[in-house]
């Protein structure tokens, strides 16, 4: 399924095939309730999810503190100096995120939650049709994202997880760790894998 907009100019790490899967699944599910993502960065996945939700009259909650994960910090491999606020001496992707959401015409579809995952979840009571986890890749961060949000997914709803690598030499193992945890819990069944993106359905 082709995306209805061009996301090639948006900074991010979501592959085109993964974006198409994410869009298709969100389009199927978002009519049943809002979607939530953890880890928005500059909004590439947010725009994909938002385009699907907009068609269904739904919304996307985009959870990100916009200070970057460990690998985005100064001196690290994925650091982008264009996203570093020299005055504040901090990484800050929020301005770029807002710009991309506005350019995509999604200001009335995307609700940014500028906070960490655990903080944003503390008083959460809204059932979700789909949750997309693409936040910090440490084991602690990935487990926090899963434990804070998996229980809010409607029965029959979807859990999508990005950056799954079967072998340690291919990439970090925290995302695939929570993928395996979700299956072992008996609460989720795997639906599909597209490159490093996995989609599961809540039983």
């Amino acid at each position: 399924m082709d995306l209805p907009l061009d996301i090639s100019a948006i900074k991010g790490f979501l592959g085109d095939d993964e974006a198409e899967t994410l869009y298709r699944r969100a389009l199927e599910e978002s009519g049943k309730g809002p979607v939530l993502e953890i880890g928005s960065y500059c909004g590439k996945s947010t725009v994909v999810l938002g385009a699907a939700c907009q068609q269904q009259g739904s919304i996307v909650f985009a959870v990100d503190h916009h200070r970057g994960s460990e690998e985005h910090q100064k001196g690290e491999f994925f650091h982008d100096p264009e996203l570093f606020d020299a005055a504040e001496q901090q990484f800050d992707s929020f301005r770029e995120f807002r710009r991309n959401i506005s350019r995509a015409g999604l200001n009335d579809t995307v609700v940014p939650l500028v906070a960490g995952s655990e903080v944003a979840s503390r008083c959460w009571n809204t059932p979700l049709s789909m949750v997309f986890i693409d936040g910090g890749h440490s084991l602690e961060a990935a487990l926090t994202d899963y434990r804070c949000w998996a229980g809010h997914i409607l029965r029959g709803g979807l859990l999508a997880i990005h950056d799954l690598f079967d072998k340690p030499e291919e990439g970090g193992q925290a995302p695939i760790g929570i993928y395996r945890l979700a299956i072992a819990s008996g609460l989720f069944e795997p639906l599909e894998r597209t490159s490093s993106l996995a989609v599961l359905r809540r039983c």
Side-chain angles (χ1 to χ4, degrees), residues 84-90:
F84 188 76
D85 186 330
E88 297 293 332
Q89 283 296 296
Q90 291 190 84

Side-chain angles (χ1 to χ4, degrees), residues 113-150:
L113 300 178
V114 185
S117 180
E118 190 275 331
V119 172
S121 74
R122 285 181 190 172
C123 297
W124 193 268
N125 293 306
T126 303
L128 301 164
S129 67
M130 181 175 178
V131 167
F132 175 46
I133 296 179
D134 192 20
H137 286 27
S138 69
L139 182 58
E140 180 183 3
L143 283 172
T144 295
D145 293 341
Y146 174 74
R147 289 169 175 163
C148 286
W149 296 105

Side-chain angles (χ1 to χ4, degrees), residues 51-72:
C53 288
Q54 190 176 58
Q55 290 196 46
Q56 299 288 8
S58 188
I59 61 172
V60 181
F61 294 102
V63 179
D64 197 313
H65 47 54
H66 289 282
R67 294 304 187 190
S69 300
E70 299 88 345
E71 64 269 24
H72 299 138

Side-chain angles (χ1 to χ4, degrees), residues 44-119:
K44 194 166 197 170
S45 59
T46 323
V47 167
V48 171
L49 294 169
C53 288
Q54 190 176 58
Q55 290 196 46
Q56 299 288 8
S58 188
I59 61 172
V60 181
F61 294 102
V63 179
D64 197 313
H65 47 54
H66 289 282
R67 294 304 187 190
S69 300
E70 299 88 345
E71 64 269 24
H72 299 138
Q73 304 309 313
K74 201 170 183 179
E76 297 299 323
F77 186 75
F78 288 107
H79 177 70
D80 185 340
E82 292 183 359
L83 300 176
F84 188 76
D85 186 330
E88 297 293 332
Q89 283 296 296
Q90 291 190 84
F91 180 93
D92 189 350
S93 58
F94 189 52
R95 179 179 297 180
E96 185 70 14
F97 170 86
R98 289 297 299 266
R99 183 180 295 119
N100 289 324
I101 297 306
S102 182
R103 285 173 176 168
L106 294 170
N107 285 330
D108 293 333
T109 301
V110 174
V111 180
L113 300 178
V114 185
S117 180
E118 190 275 331
V119 172

